Amino acid sequence: MTKKRLFLSKIFPVILVLLTGVICYLNYTPDTFLTGWDTLHPEFNFLLNFKRLLTFWHSEQGLGAIPAHAQISDIPRVFILYLLHFILPLNSLRYSYIFLMFIIGPLGTYFLIKFLFISRKSFFVNILSFLAALFYIFNLSTVQQFYVPFEMFPTQWAFLPLLILFSLKYLDSKKTKYLFIYLLLTIFASPQAYASQLWYAFFFIYSAFLIIYSFLQKEHFKKSLQLIIFTLLINAFWLIPNLFYIFSSSSAPLENRDNRLYSQEYLLKNRQNGVLTDSTLIKGFYLDWSVFNFSKNAFKNLMPQWQLHLKNPLILTIGYSIFVLSFFGLIIAFYKKDKVFISLSPFFIIPFILLSNRTFPFNFLFDFLIKNSTIRESFRFIFTKLSILLLFGLVIFFSYFLNFFFRKIKSIIPKIFTSIIICWCLILYGFPMFQGYLLSPIVKINIPSSYFQFWQYMNQQAYGRVLVLPLNQSSGWQYYNWEYQGS
């Protein structure tokens, strides 16, 4: 390796860390907690939360219940927070995990794309990988995973590229170390299964990838089967209890009062974005959602800055152009009969079809699927289940098209110029992140000391149930006068 190539192989990961680090810094508000929306704060009482995570019967839920969510899958994340709490202030722990995921995701993307193309002797492999990582950062799917963060989504966003990278490395070599790394990553990625439908969507498409890979390259059938089996075994600690719930209590969500009231509305809100103009941008319902404005005592748009950003014709042109290039990359991969990339196509094709659920002819498939009540309940928030997987597919074939384009151009100058233009366009596309809008201002809250004083007092009382009054609503969605809103 020449000194120039060695420098390029080192400098781009450093730039990605610095870039994501700067965005994290610009989105951090000192003396606040990252809280609200869907909120998990095990750091407020680690001992109690570890006990609850390891308990199959959750007495704290109503009068007691088998957990519908796979809460036990959150153990790796809680363990990370527990280690961090020795060195970081309490209010920065949730920030730290979310920001850590934001840094890991682009690095995993960079090394995955580099692995996919380095064997093709592409001189621009480092630049190509860097541009793919930038796309993974600066897009509408990413901002919607982090804007009002729920840990399972940033976790999947961070670990998906790494899981595919080490799956391919294991399939491509005889080294078992890659299998062990994959298994370790699978453990730390398990918090993505907190609401298990997210993991099931990943596993379905991941299995499709392995099945196609082993069909096209039959010598890898055994390893592909091993990866599927080991994935199930590693996740068995939460998967078995969750399957027990599905087979014993799957009717509970359908009978739940709030689900009967709101599930149809949520499904329709998700389908509003099932048109090509939205699915090609990976635009979901968050951009049309409302939140409560405490100062004005009225509801306002959740993402007004991003709505304004998308009204710029140049921004929309960039977004649609990225999709078109990715789509061309998919077509070229099939035309060239590229076995590896054809096997990765389910990450593009399946999520895109299901997210384009108001577009002919995909709407007929979606209408057929939701005739099943269980699928309909799982698909009511279909955007959150599939948008990360679609983003990943777009990144893969965006990089494939760029590699095809770079190989067609013989002169280095046009390649460098094109790379600079693409880099500039991607940063411009996600520019509100630099203005502090990767995370919503509504989830950066100064929790009053009285909140913690109350729980200190409660910890001194005898064990028993507490009735919270007034019982004005049943959804569990709360609004506190110190500007907290969420579950």
Side-chain angles (χ1 to χ4, degrees), residues 189-418:
S190 64
Q192 70 173 302
Y194 191 94
S196 55
Q197 298 97 327
L198 183 69
W199 184 86
Y200 289 129
F202 155 75
F203 182 68
F204 176 78
I205 294 177
Y206 177 70
S207 298
F209 148 64
L210 290 175
I211 290 169
I212 295 171
Y213 190 94
S214 59
F215 177 78
L216 296 175
Q217 304 183 69
K218 291 182 172 58
E219 67 273 17
H220 296 303
F221 173 78
K222 183 178 178 181
K223 286 185 177 180
S224 297
L225 183 61
Q226 286 176 342
L227 285 171
I228 292 175
I229 292 173
F230 278 120
T231 300
L232 291 171
L233 291 175
I234 290 294
N235 286 283
F237 74 100
W238 68 263
L239 189 57
I240 292 173
N242 188 251
L243 290 174
F244 177 82
Y245 173 85
I246 291 172
F247 290 116
S248 66
S249 308
S250 59
S251 62
L254 301 175
E255 297 168 356
N256 179 274
R257 175 183 177 273
D258 289 303
N259 285 352
R260 285 187 283 116
L261 284 173
Y262 301 120
S263 285
Q264 184 68 12
E265 177 187 351
Y266 296 151
L267 179 63
L268 291 173
K269 279 185 177 291
N270 270 254
R271 293 200 77 174
Q272 272 187 312
N273 303 108
V275 293
L276 285 180
T277 52
D278 287 346
S279 58
T280 51
L281 294 176
I282 326 182
K283 178 185 174 185
F285 64 93
Y286 281 113
L287 282 149
D288 301 311
W289 206 264
S290 297
V291 292
F292 190 69
N293 186 322
F294 287 85
S295 61
K296 295 183 178 180
N297 198 32
F299 281 87
K300 65 175 183 177
N301 291 330
L302 171 63
M303 305 178 71
Q305 296 81 12
W306 284 95
Q307 287 176 323
L308 181 63
H309 186 62
L310 289 172
K311 289 181 180 179
N312 186 330
L314 175 61
I315 300 304
L316 287 176
T317 301
I318 294 171
Y320 291 128
S321 298
I322 291 170
F323 176 83
V324 170
L325 297 182
S326 300
F327 182 72
F328 282 156
L330 178 71
I331 299 300
I332 294 168
F334 274 88
Y335 177 77
K336 288 182 167 291
K337 299 179 181 179
D338 193 310
K339 294 180 180 180
V340 174
F341 281 85
I342 289 174
S343 67
L344 288 167
S345 65
F347 286 101
F348 186 127
I349 296 171
I350 296 174
F352 181 72
I353 289 174
L354 292 175
L355 289 179
S356 302
N357 49 60
R358 283 183 61 201
T359 304
F360 177 84
F362 309 137
N363 56 325
F364 293 110
L365 173 63
F366 195 85
D367 289 337
F368 171 76
L369 291 174
I370 62 175
K371 287 181 180 179
N372 180 284
S373 58
T374 301
I375 294 177
R376 183 170 64 250
E377 189 67 22
S378 300
F379 278 12
R380 61 180 183 153
F381 284 114
I382 191 168
F383 176 80
T384 58
K385 309 299 185 297
L386 294 170
S387 54
I388 298 173
L389 300 171
L390 176 56
L391 168 62
F392 180 76
L394 291 178
V395 169
I396 292 293
F397 291 99
F398 174 73
S399 64
Y400 194 88
F401 176 84
L402 290 184
N403 182 67
F404 173 79
F405 177 77
F406 286 153
R407 292 178 73 89
K408 289 294 181 182
I409 299 176
K410 303 303 180 183
S411 176
I412 292 180
I413 300 300
K415 293 181 181 180
I416 295 175
F417 180 74
T418 302

Side-chain angles (χ1 to χ4, degrees), residues 73-210:
S73 68
D74 205 34
I75 285 179
R77 184 186 73 90
V78 178
F79 180 71
I80 292 172
L81 292 180
Y82 179 73
L83 295 178
L84 290 175
H85 98 280
F86 290 108
I87 57 175
L88 295 176
L90 181 67
N91 68 306
S92 66
L93 289 180
R94 191 168 185 237
Y95 274 114
S96 66
Y97 183 83
I98 297 299
F99 288 155
L100 179 62
M101 297 300 102
F102 188 67
I103 293 170
I104 289 174
L107 287 175
T109 303
Y110 174 85
F111 288 112
L112 169 63
I113 301 303
K114 185 175 180 179
F115 173 78
L116 286 170
F117 288 102
I118 199 165
S119 61
R120 298 160 193 257
K121 298 179 181 179
S122 173
F123 176 76
F124 268 66
V125 66
N126 293 295
I127 295 176
L128 176 66
S129 304
F130 178 70
L131 293 175
L134 286 184
F135 178 22
Y136 201 64
I137 298 170
F138 298 115
N139 63 84
L140 292 185
S141 175
T142 295
V143 72
Q144 288 170 100
Q145 311 307 328
F146 284 86
Y147 202 71
V148 280
F150 191 3
E151 280 75 357
M152 61 183 179
F153 300 117
T155 298
Q156 185 182 85
W157 186 87
F159 285 101
L160 178 58
L162 289 171
L163 290 172
I164 304 305
L165 169 61
F166 284 96
S167 295
L168 288 169
K169 282 193 171 187
Y170 178 61
L171 291 168
D172 196 48
S173 73
K174 297 180 180 180
K175 297 179 179 179
T176 55
K177 71 175 183 179
Y178 294 132
L179 176 61
F180 288 117
I181 295 173
Y182 170 80
L183 297 179
L184 183 63
L185 290 169
T186 298
I187 293 172
F188 284 103
S190 64
Q192 70 173 302
Y194 191 94
S196 55
Q197 298 97 327
L198 183 69
W199 184 86
Y200 289 129
F202 155 75
F203 182 68
F204 176 78
I205 294 177
Y206 177 70
S207 298
F209 148 64
L210 290 175

